[in-house]
Amino acid sequence: MKNRSESQLIESGFSPQAGMFELGQQLYHKTTHAEALMRSDKAKDISPAEILCITSYPPRECGIATYSQDLIKALNNKFSNSLAIKVCALESDSSHFVYPKEVKYTLDTSRATGYKTLCKDINQDPDIKIVLIQHEFGFFRKQEKAFLQLLSGIDKPVAIVFHTVLPHPDAELKSKIRAITTACQSVIVMTHISEGILINDYEVPGQKITVIPHGTHLVSHVDKTNLKLKYDLTNRKVLTTFGLLSSGKSIETTLEALPSIVDECPEVVFLIIGKTHPEVVKTEGETYRKSLEAKVKKYGLQKHVIFINKYLALPDLLEYLQLTDIYLFTTNDPNQAVSGTFVYAMSCACPIISTPIPHAKEVLTKDTGIIFDFRDSAALASAVVGLFKNEPQRRSMSSNALQTIVSTAWENSAVAHAMLFGQIGNGAIKLKYNRPSINFSHMKQMTTPIGIIQFAKNNQPDISTGYTLDDNARALVAICMYLQLTCYEKSIHSIRRYFRFIKNCLQSDGSFLNYMDKNMRFTDQNTSTNLDDSNGRAIWALGYMLSIPNLLPAELIKEAEEVFDKAVQHFESVRSPRAMAFAIKGIYYHHTGTKSTKHVALLTTLADRLAAMYKYEKEDNWNWYESYLTYANSILPEAMLCAWHVTGQSEYKDIANASFDFLLSQTFNDNGIEVISNKHWLHKGEQPGHFGEQPIDVAYTILALEKFYETFHLEYYREKMEIAFNWFLGKNRLHQIIYNPCTGGCYDGLEETHINLNQGAESTVSYLLARLTMEKYRQI
């Protein structure tokens, strides 16, 4: 076997970094702009469409600057092959900054001439296809007329994001907002409450408004106890607030509540994170912060309040939020439409206590937080003490907060913005999802010396659920695929681990058991569950392993061959269609690797059984093997195609084609792929129900599509591979990511209204099977 060194892997685009149990933790390719344009013949003549974002931008310190930077980063991560995001940075008076390379223009908002120049530049720049404006009243207050002239003068589609929407406007304000919205093709707000205000109070047409919630960060959740230890907060009950400090934050509301809280919970500590807002410093200096420090001293709270007077880097901020027991949002401004701070806190699974701004009223329920009135310190104290004394409620709120807010991840915000750009872009926007780096870090976290753990709670392995043959078989296939792609010899260690698990499940009669507890004891579930499909998956994994004998040590191949030969004979009596299909695939791969014909007769027997099932059930408009479509459907036509490859029997190929075409007609539509629901099988004569979609079914579809593409070289199949893979990236019924790029895990399912946030072995390995398959076509 030709082993590739780590330096060779890096040069060719693979990164075998530390982790993944001696396997590269993260495999990725670096795509230059030129490489991206060469991925398909269609792309060679198409440059990414440029979106100009007019906004405040770092290093300027303000909430909208951070918001825009996060949004642009997410858009680049997901759509850099389709979109080129540039920035016009807003400045005021004498403020000037050294900006990053994406800043193409700057605008001094205090000077009218700058607006005219910017309008001319935008109109004369052929690269700019859409203009996105982040609006806050303070940005353009000094030149409102010039700003409106800018909007009216731009001859490209304009979308405007209102960060504040004031209710009950007077005639003057209503006229200004109506003039702004009339000049724009699209209006974005972050809450449905703001949408309602625009429609009802400003009479803005509803069809012009899109609600895209404030984005938030995906977090790889870590143990709170360890974080408190790191920050010297062990055994403390932590209250936190963060953001650039100003009197509008009403921090004094908490300080005035704190003596009562300390009386009941003497271990409490209140973290006030953030420096004073730069605009406040210009006009007031540190007067507000000093007033807060004086209150701390007045109430004798020096041991219970910590000021963290700096602008924290995002990783540090997210750690502070993860160690927080309750997050407090105490603004005294009832017209503050949204808050990025408490959505960040929710993404870190913090229970929230907030004043009743529109965002809080829309997001928080009794299950996710508590709302109290402005400046009501007594109510705040009561709410905090009540939560501290009710740990089950606090834990429940934590879990519910995370479930509520995850749909607003920046990745999902990027998808929503990109879809809107496509709608208003006059045909200039052709979206192409970037393929994420191949990342094994969550699979590593889920794996012990025994094998891969079955389930996870969120992204934390749940060892109490034990192990299954199913998951370890799929993991073995995934690592073998990785070895094929990289020739990275250290991955053989992981192959041995998953193979040993499979071998340990083998029984004396050639069958396998499936369920094993954390102590490597087989559980009673093995006697109450049909294990035929699990046995079939084991044959598939062993066959796949045996298909790459030139990449594995001879002694390992010999051992796997012995297990395969003993186990495959068990299938003489199996009648389960998917078990037979997995076994056919295993025998096919065994045949391709060894050229042995010793199991071809069994493959033929199994294929004949599937063919007989197909002929029995086939009717007009129903070309299938059963009277219903259930789970793992695509392996049936794929198995028949594999049987044709081995035997040359044309009937197998004809059935494979007819049944696969039928399946694709039931699962692909104008929205992309919508696999059969695990909540409602599709019976003959019924309409499909699509919520309850599982990553494993999408992955199996991609594997089957690749087999048909390799066989018939029809672009139709490769295009559907791309469509199906984009399901993981947000091109699905809910327009939400299923693959979590923060953890490297994959969510367990797409439900009717939400994502199942657990990232278990089945879903994570299924995603990796799909991603590794797509890697073979990285230049397409």
Side-chain angles (χ1 to χ4, degrees), residues 728-756:
F728 290 101
L729 308 182
K731 186 67 170 69
N732 52 53
R733 182 172 43 78
L734 294 184
H735 306 299
Q736 294 185 32
I737 56 169
I738 310 298
Y739 168 67
N740 184 325
C742 175
T743 64
C746 181
Y747 296 131
D748 279 353
L750 182 69
E751 306 301 338
E752 183 173 11
T753 60
H754 64 280
I755 304 297
N756 181 335

PDB file of all heavy atoms in Angstrom, residues 728-756:
ATOM      1  N   PHE A 728     -28.796  18.766   3.442  1.00  0.00           N
ATOM      2  CA  PHE A 728     -28.059  18.894   4.700  1.00  0.00           C
ATOM      3  C   PHE A 728     -27.674  20.349   4.971  1.00  0.00           C
ATOM      4  O   PHE A 728     -27.476  20.737   6.124  1.00  0.00           O
ATOM      5  CB  PHE A 728     -26.775  18.058   4.667  1.00  0.00           C
ATOM      6  CG  PHE A 728     -26.988  16.580   4.690  1.00  0.00           C
ATOM      7  CD1 PHE A 728     -26.911  15.837   3.517  1.00  0.00           C
ATOM      8  CD2 PHE A 728     -27.244  15.906   5.875  1.00  0.00           C
ATOM      9  CE1 PHE A 728     -27.091  14.469   3.534  1.00  0.00           C
ATOM     10  CE2 PHE A 728     -27.424  14.539   5.908  1.00  0.00           C
ATOM     11  CZ  PHE A 728     -27.351  13.810   4.720  1.00  0.00           C
ATOM     12  N   LEU A 729     -27.548  21.150   3.913  1.00  0.00           N
ATOM     13  CA  LEU A 729     -27.002  22.498   4.030  1.00  0.00           C
ATOM     14  C   LEU A 729     -28.063  23.577   4.127  1.00  0.00           C
ATOM     15  O   LEU A 729     -27.734  24.761   4.234  1.00  0.00           O
ATOM     16  CB  LEU A 729     -26.087  22.783   2.828  1.00  0.00           C
ATOM     17  CG  LEU A 729     -25.006  21.737   2.552  1.00  0.00           C
ATOM     18  CD1 LEU A 729     -24.151  22.164   1.374  1.00  0.00           C
ATOM     19  CD2 LEU A 729     -24.134  21.483   3.781  1.00  0.00           C
ATOM     20  N   GLY A 730     -29.343  23.178   4.077  1.00  0.00           N
ATOM     21  CA  GLY A 730     -30.409  24.149   4.232  1.00  0.00           C
ATOM     22  C   GLY A 730     -31.407  24.183   3.093  1.00  0.00           C
ATOM     23  O   GLY A 730     -32.422  24.882   3.179  1.00  0.00           O
ATOM     24  N   LYS A 731     -31.156  23.442   2.010  1.00  0.00           N
ATOM     25  CA  LYS A 731     -32.107  23.412   0.883  1.00  0.00           C
ATOM     26  C   LYS A 731     -33.117  22.307   1.159  1.00  0.00           C
ATOM     27  O   LYS A 731     -33.119  21.245   0.550  1.00  0.00           O
ATOM     28  CB  LYS A 731     -31.360  23.158  -0.434  1.00  0.00           C
ATOM     29  CG  LYS A 731     -32.257  23.255  -1.678  1.00  0.00           C
ATOM     30  CD  LYS A 731     -32.746  24.673  -1.889  1.00  0.00           C
ATOM     31  CE  LYS A 731     -33.443  24.838  -3.246  1.00  0.00           C
ATOM     32  NZ  LYS A 731     -34.722  24.131  -3.321  1.00  0.00           N
ATOM     33  N   ASN A 732     -33.974  22.572   2.128  1.00  0.00           N
ATOM     34  CA  ASN A 732     -34.975  21.594   2.533  1.00  0.00           C
ATOM     35  C   ASN A 732     -36.273  22.322   2.872  1.00  0.00           C
ATOM     36  O   ASN A 732     -36.371  23.538   2.724  1.00  0.00           O
ATOM     37  CB  ASN A 732     -34.480  20.754   3.720  1.00  0.00           C
ATOM     38  CG  ASN A 732     -33.981  21.617   4.866  1.00  0.00           C
ATOM     39  OD1 ASN A 732     -34.679  22.511   5.353  1.00  0.00           O
ATOM     40  ND2 ASN A 732     -32.752  21.371   5.313  1.00  0.00           N
ATOM     41  N   ARG A 733     -37.232  21.585   3.327  1.00  0.00           N
ATOM     42  CA  ARG A 733     -38.577  22.131   3.546  1.00  0.00           C
ATOM     43  C   ARG A 733     -38.593  23.284   4.550  1.00  0.00           C
ATOM     44  O   ARG A 733     -39.368  24.236   4.419  1.00  0.00           O
ATOM     45  CB  ARG A 733     -39.496  20.998   4.005  1.00  0.00           C
ATOM     46  CG  ARG A 733     -40.938  21.368   4.232  1.00  0.00           C
ATOM     47  CD  ARG A 733     -41.764  20.114   4.486  1.00  0.00           C
ATOM     48  NE  ARG A 733     -41.097  19.197   5.384  1.00  0.00           N
ATOM     49  CZ  ARG A 733     -41.048  19.341   6.704  1.00  0.00           C
ATOM     50  NH1 ARG A 733     -41.642  20.363   7.275  1.00  0.00           N
ATOM     51  NH2 ARG A 733     -40.416  18.453   7.456  1.00  0.00           N
ATOM     52  N   LEU A 734     -37.744  23.234   5.573  1.00  0.00           N
ATOM     53  CA  LEU A 734     -37.707  24.304   6.582  1.00  0.00           C
ATOM     54  C   LEU A 734     -36.620  25.340   6.317  1.00  0.00           C
ATOM     55  O   LEU A 734     -36.485  26.306   7.068  1.00  0.00           O
ATOM     56  CB  LEU A 734     -37.490  23.696   7.982  1.00  0.00           C
ATOM     57  CG  LEU A 734     -38.614  22.815   8.529  1.00  0.00           C
ATOM     58  CD1 LEU A 734     -38.285  22.365   9.952  1.00  0.00           C
ATOM     59  CD2 LEU A 734     -39.957  23.531   8.502  1.00  0.00           C
ATOM     60  N   HIS A 735     -35.804  25.125   5.274  1.00  0.00           N
ATOM     61  CA  HIS A 735     -34.698  26.032   4.951  1.00  0.00           C
ATOM     62  C   HIS A 735     -33.761  26.201   6.149  1.00  0.00           C
ATOM     63  O   HIS A 735     -33.321  27.303   6.464  1.00  0.00           O
ATOM     64  CB  HIS A 735     -35.221  27.393   4.481  1.00  0.00           C
ATOM     65  CG  HIS A 735     -36.198  27.307   3.353  1.00  0.00           C
ATOM     66  ND1 HIS A 735     -35.876  26.759   2.127  1.00  0.00           N
ATOM     67  CD2 HIS A 735     -37.507  27.662   3.264  1.00  0.00           C
ATOM     68  CE1 HIS A 735     -36.925  26.793   1.336  1.00  0.00           C
ATOM     69  NE2 HIS A 735     -37.938  27.327   1.999  1.00  0.00           N
ATOM     70  N   GLN A 736     -33.477  25.080   6.808  1.00  0.00           N
ATOM     71  CA  GLN A 736     -32.569  25.089   7.959  1.00  0.00           C
ATOM     72  C   GLN A 736     -31.484  24.037   7.769  1.00  0.00           C
ATOM     73  O   GLN A 736     -31.721  22.978   7.177  1.00  0.00           O
ATOM     74  CB  GLN A 736     -33.336  24.797   9.254  1.00  0.00           C
ATOM     75  CG  GLN A 736     -34.332  25.873   9.632  1.00  0.00           C
ATOM     76  CD  GLN A 736     -34.989  25.610  10.970  1.00  0.00           C
ATOM     77  OE1 GLN A 736     -34.387  25.028  11.872  1.00  0.00           O
ATOM     78  NE2 GLN A 736     -36.234  26.019  11.116  1.00  0.00           N
ATOM     79  N   ILE A 737     -30.313  24.350   8.302  1.00  0.00           N
ATOM     80  CA  ILE A 737     -29.205  23.403   8.195  1.00  0.00           C
ATOM     81  C   ILE A 737     -29.495  22.152   9.018  1.00  0.00           C
ATOM     82  O   ILE A 737     -30.071  22.217  10.105  1.00  0.00           O
ATOM     83  CB  ILE A 737     -27.869  24.031   8.641  1.00  0.00           C
ATOM     84  CG1 ILE A 737     -27.963  24.584  10.071  1.00  0.00           C
ATOM     85  CG2 ILE A 737     -27.417  25.095   7.659  1.00  0.00           C
ATOM     86  CD1 ILE A 737     -26.634  24.972  10.674  1.00  0.00           C
ATOM     87  N   ILE A 738     -29.107  21.009   8.480  1.00  0.00           N
ATOM     88  CA  ILE A 738     -29.174  19.737   9.194  1.00  0.00           C
ATOM     89  C   ILE A 738     -27.778  19.352   9.668  1.00  0.00           C
ATOM     90  O   ILE A 738     -27.606  18.767  10.734  1.00  0.00           O
ATOM     91  CB  ILE A 738     -29.758  18.627   8.301  1.00  0.00           C
ATOM     92  CG1 ILE A 738     -31.064  19.101   7.661  1.00  0.00           C
ATOM     93  CG2 ILE A 738     -29.992  17.350   9.094  1.00  0.00           C
ATOM     94  CD1 ILE A 738     -32.159  19.438   8.642  1.00  0.00           C
ATOM     95  N   TYR A 739     -26.781  19.673   8.881  1.00  0.00           N
ATOM     96  CA  TYR A 739     -25.387  19.474   9.293  1.00  0.00           C
ATOM     97  C   TYR A 739     -24.943  20.664  10.126  1.00  0.00           C
ATOM     98  O   TYR A 739     -25.163  21.817   9.746  1.00  0.00           O
ATOM     99  CB  TYR A 739     -24.483  19.323   8.073  1.00  0.00           C
ATOM    100  CG  TYR A 739     -23.014  19.392   8.407  1.00  0.00           C
ATOM    101  CD1 TYR A 739     -22.409  18.389   9.164  1.00  0.00           C
ATOM    102  CD2 TYR A 739     -22.229  20.473   7.996  1.00  0.00           C
ATOM    103  CE1 TYR A 739     -21.062  18.465   9.498  1.00  0.00           C
ATOM    104  CE2 TYR A 739     -20.884  20.551   8.313  1.00  0.00           C
ATOM    105  CZ  TYR A 739     -20.306  19.540   9.074  1.00  0.00           C
ATOM    106  OH  TYR A 739     -18.982  19.617   9.408  1.00  0.00           O
ATOM    107  N   ASN A 740     -24.328  20.398  11.266  1.00  0.00           N
ATOM    108  CA  ASN A 740     -23.857  21.450  12.162  1.00  0.00           C
ATOM    109  C   ASN A 740     -22.355  21.650  11.951  1.00  0.00           C
ATOM    110  O   ASN A 740     -21.550  20.825  12.410  1.00  0.00           O
ATOM    111  CB  ASN A 740     -24.140  21.059  13.617  1.00  0.00           C
ATOM    112  CG  ASN A 740     -23.762  22.150  14.601  1.00  0.00           C
ATOM    113  OD1 ASN A 740     -22.787  22.869  14.407  1.00  0.00           O
ATOM    114  ND2 ASN A 740     -24.524  22.275  15.678  1.00  0.00           N
ATOM    115  N   PRO A 741     -21.932  22.722  11.272  1.00  0.00           N
ATOM    116  CA  PRO A 741     -20.508  22.906  10.991  1.00  0.00           C
ATOM    117  C   PRO A 741     -19.688  23.249  12.223  1.00  0.00           C
ATOM    118  O   PRO A 741     -18.459  23.146  12.191  1.00  0.00           O
ATOM    119  CB  PRO A 741     -20.503  24.067   9.987  1.00  0.00           C
ATOM    120  CG  PRO A 741     -21.746  24.832  10.298  1.00  0.00           C
ATOM    121  CD  PRO A 741     -22.759  23.813  10.720  1.00  0.00           C
ATOM    122  N   CYS A 742     -20.356  23.641  13.294  1.00  0.00           N
ATOM    123  CA  CYS A 742     -19.637  23.960  14.529  1.00  0.00           C
ATOM    124  C   CYS A 742     -19.123  22.701  15.212  1.00  0.00           C
ATOM    125  O   CYS A 742     -17.987  22.650  15.686  1.00  0.00           O
ATOM    126  CB  CYS A 742     -20.541  24.750  15.454  1.00  0.00           C
ATOM    127  SG  CYS A 742     -19.850  25.085  17.079  1.00  0.00           S
ATOM    128  N   THR A 743     -19.948  21.669  15.263  1.00  0.00           N
ATOM    129  CA  THR A 743     -19.581  20.439  15.961  1.00  0.00           C
ATOM    130  C   THR A 743     -19.060  19.358  15.023  1.00  0.00           C
ATOM    131  O   THR A 743     -18.368  18.450  15.460  1.00  0.00           O
ATOM    132  CB  THR A 743     -20.794  19.865  16.704  1.00  0.00           C
ATOM    133  OG1 THR A 743     -21.795  19.480  15.745  1.00  0.00           O
ATOM    134  CG2 THR A 743     -21.381  20.876  17.663  1.00  0.00           C
ATOM    135  N   GLY A 744     -19.404  19.446  13.739  1.00  0.00           N
ATOM    136  CA  GLY A 744     -19.123  18.342  12.823  1.00  0.00           C
ATOM    137  C   GLY A 744     -20.166  17.249  12.915  1.00  0.00           C
ATOM    138  O   GLY A 744     -20.035  16.211  12.269  1.00  0.00           O
ATOM    139  N   GLY A 745     -21.214  17.472  13.703  1.00  0.00           N
ATOM    140  CA  GLY A 745     -22.285  16.495  13.836  1.00  0.00           C
ATOM    141  C   GLY A 745     -23.440  16.809  12.902  1.00  0.00           C
ATOM    142  O   GLY A 745     -23.453  17.839  12.219  1.00  0.00           O
ATOM    143  N   CYS A 746     -24.396  15.916  12.867  1.00  0.00           N
ATOM    144  CA  CYS A 746     -25.580  16.091  12.030  1.00  0.00           C
ATOM    145  C   CYS A 746     -26.811  15.917  12.904  1.00  0.00           C
ATOM    146  O   CYS A 746     -26.889  14.968  13.697  1.00  0.00           O
ATOM    147  CB  CYS A 746     -25.577  15.068  10.896  1.00  0.00           C
ATOM    148  SG  CYS A 746     -26.965  15.201   9.763  1.00  0.00           S
ATOM    149  N   TYR A 747     -27.762  16.834  12.776  1.00  0.00           N
ATOM    150  CA  TYR A 747     -28.984  16.742  13.561  1.00  0.00           C
ATOM    151  C   TYR A 747     -29.766  15.485  13.174  1.00  0.00           C
ATOM    152  O   TYR A 747     -29.687  15.003  12.045  1.00  0.00           O
ATOM    153  CB  TYR A 747     -29.844  17.981  13.361  1.00  0.00           C
ATOM    154  CG  TYR A 747     -29.199  19.263  13.851  1.00  0.00           C
ATOM    155  CD1 TYR A 747     -29.143  20.400  13.057  1.00  0.00           C
ATOM    156  CD2 TYR A 747     -28.640  19.335  15.125  1.00  0.00           C
ATOM    157  CE1 TYR A 747     -28.554  21.574  13.504  1.00  0.00           C
ATOM    158  CE2 TYR A 747     -28.048  20.501  15.587  1.00  0.00           C
ATOM    159  CZ  TYR A 747     -28.006  21.624  14.770  1.00  0.00           C
ATOM    160  OH  TYR A 747     -27.418  22.779  15.233  1.00  0.00           O
ATOM    161  N   ASP A 748     -30.539  14.987  14.117  1.00  0.00           N
ATOM    162  CA  ASP A 748     -31.163  13.670  13.961  1.00  0.00           C
ATOM    163  C   ASP A 748     -32.392  13.649  13.065  1.00  0.00           C
ATOM    164  O   ASP A 748     -32.875  12.575  12.734  1.00  0.00           O
ATOM    165  CB  ASP A 748     -31.528  13.092  15.333  1.00  0.00           C
ATOM    166  CG  ASP A 748     -30.331  12.443  16.026  1.00  0.00           C
ATOM    167  OD1 ASP A 748     -29.272  12.328  15.389  1.00  0.00           O
ATOM    168  OD2 ASP A 748     -30.473  12.054  17.199  1.00  0.00           O
ATOM    169  N   GLY A 749     -32.931  14.803  12.688  1.00  0.00           N
ATOM    170  CA  GLY A 749     -34.084  14.743  11.806  1.00  0.00           C
ATOM    171  C   GLY A 749     -34.709  16.089  11.534  1.00  0.00           C
ATOM    172  O   GLY A 749     -34.538  17.056  12.291  1.00  0.00           O
ATOM    173  N   LEU A 750     -35.448  16.147  10.435  1.00  0.00           N
ATOM    174  CA  LEU A 750     -36.206  17.322  10.041  1.00  0.00           C
ATOM    175  C   LEU A 750     -37.667  17.036  10.350  1.00  0.00           C
ATOM    176  O   LEU A 750     -38.316  16.233   9.675  1.00  0.00           O
ATOM    177  CB  LEU A 750     -36.016  17.581   8.547  1.00  0.00           C
ATOM    178  CG  LEU A 750     -36.683  18.799   7.934  1.00  0.00           C
ATOM    179  CD1 LEU A 750     -36.030  20.084   8.445  1.00  0.00           C
ATOM    180  CD2 LEU A 750     -36.597  18.752   6.413  1.00  0.00           C
ATOM    181  N   GLU A 751     -38.166  17.673  11.411  1.00  0.00           N
ATOM    182  CA  GLU A 751     -39.534  17.407  11.840  1.00  0.00           C
ATOM    183  C   GLU A 751     -40.506  18.378  11.157  1.00  0.00           C
ATOM    184  O   GLU A 751     -40.117  19.127  10.268  1.00  0.00           O
ATOM    185  CB  GLU A 751     -39.620  17.516  13.362  1.00  0.00           C
ATOM    186  CG  GLU A 751     -38.625  16.638  14.117  1.00  0.00           C
ATOM    187  CD  GLU A 751     -38.761  15.157  13.827  1.00  0.00           C
ATOM    188  OE1 GLU A 751     -39.843  14.734  13.378  1.00  0.00           O
ATOM    189  OE2 GLU A 751     -37.790  14.416  14.029  1.00  0.00           O
ATOM    190  N   GLU A 752     -41.739  18.385  11.592  1.00  0.00           N
ATOM    191  CA  GLU A 752     -42.741  19.197  10.909  1.00  0.00           C
ATOM    192  C   GLU A 752     -42.440  20.686  11.027  1.00  0.00           C
ATOM    193  O   GLU A 752     -42.555  21.440  10.052  1.00  0.00           O
ATOM    194  CB  GLU A 752     -44.133  18.902  11.472  1.00  0.00           C
ATOM    195  CG  GLU A 752     -45.245  19.651  10.757  1.00  0.00           C
ATOM    196  CD  GLU A 752     -46.631  19.230  11.206  1.00  0.00           C
ATOM    197  OE1 GLU A 752     -46.740  18.503  12.226  1.00  0.00           O
ATOM    198  OE2 GLU A 752     -47.602  19.611  10.550  1.00  0.00           O
ATOM    199  N   THR A 753     -42.032  21.137  12.212  1.00  0.00           N
ATOM    200  CA  THR A 753     -41.809  22.567  12.434  1.00  0.00           C
ATOM    201  C   THR A 753     -40.417  22.896  12.950  1.00  0.00           C
ATOM    202  O   THR A 753     -40.080  24.065  13.118  1.00  0.00           O
ATOM    203  CB  THR A 753     -42.823  23.114  13.459  1.00  0.00           C
ATOM    204  OG1 THR A 753     -42.660  22.418  14.715  1.00  0.00           O
ATOM    205  CG2 THR A 753     -44.249  22.932  12.959  1.00  0.00           C
ATOM    206  N   HIS A 754     -39.589  21.901  13.212  1.00  0.00           N
ATOM    207  CA  HIS A 754     -38.294  22.160  13.840  1.00  0.00           C
ATOM    208  C   HIS A 754     -37.307  21.048  13.504  1.00  0.00           C
ATOM    209  O   HIS A 754     -37.669  20.032  12.908  1.00  0.00           O
ATOM    210  CB  HIS A 754     -38.457  22.266  15.362  1.00  0.00           C
ATOM    211  CG  HIS A 754     -38.914  20.994  16.004  1.00  0.00           C
ATOM    212  ND1 HIS A 754     -40.235  20.595  16.011  1.00  0.00           N
ATOM    213  CD2 HIS A 754     -38.231  20.002  16.651  1.00  0.00           C
ATOM    214  CE1 HIS A 754     -40.343  19.430  16.633  1.00  0.00           C
ATOM    215  NE2 HIS A 754     -39.143  19.056  17.021  1.00  0.00           N
ATOM    216  N   ILE A 755     -36.082  21.276  13.934  1.00  0.00           N
ATOM    217  CA  ILE A 755     -35.011  20.300  13.775  1.00  0.00           C
ATOM    218  C   ILE A 755     -34.827  19.553  15.086  1.00  0.00           C
ATOM    219  O   ILE A 755     -34.860  20.146  16.160  1.00  0.00           O
ATOM    220  CB  ILE A 755     -33.684  21.000  13.405  1.00  0.00           C
ATOM    221  CG1 ILE A 755     -33.853  21.846  12.147  1.00  0.00           C
ATOM    222  CG2 ILE A 755     -32.563  19.991  13.234  1.00  0.00           C
ATOM    223  CD1 ILE A 755     -34.195  21.085  10.911  1.00  0.00           C
ATOM    224  N   ASN A 756     -34.627  18.242  15.009  1.00  0.00           N
ATOM    225  CA  ASN A 756     -34.247  17.459  16.189  1.00  0.00           C
ATOM    226  C   ASN A 756     -32.766  17.729  16.455  1.00  0.00           C
ATOM    227  O   ASN A 756     -31.898  17.323  15.677  1.00  0.00           O
ATOM    228  CB  ASN A 756     -34.492  15.969  15.934  1.00  0.00           C
ATOM    229  CG  ASN A 756     -34.152  15.094  17.135  1.00  0.00           C
ATOM    230  OD1 ASN A 756     -33.336  15.468  17.986  1.00  0.00           O
ATOM    231  ND2 ASN A 756     -34.763  13.939  17.208  1.00  0.00           N
TER     232      ASN A 756
END
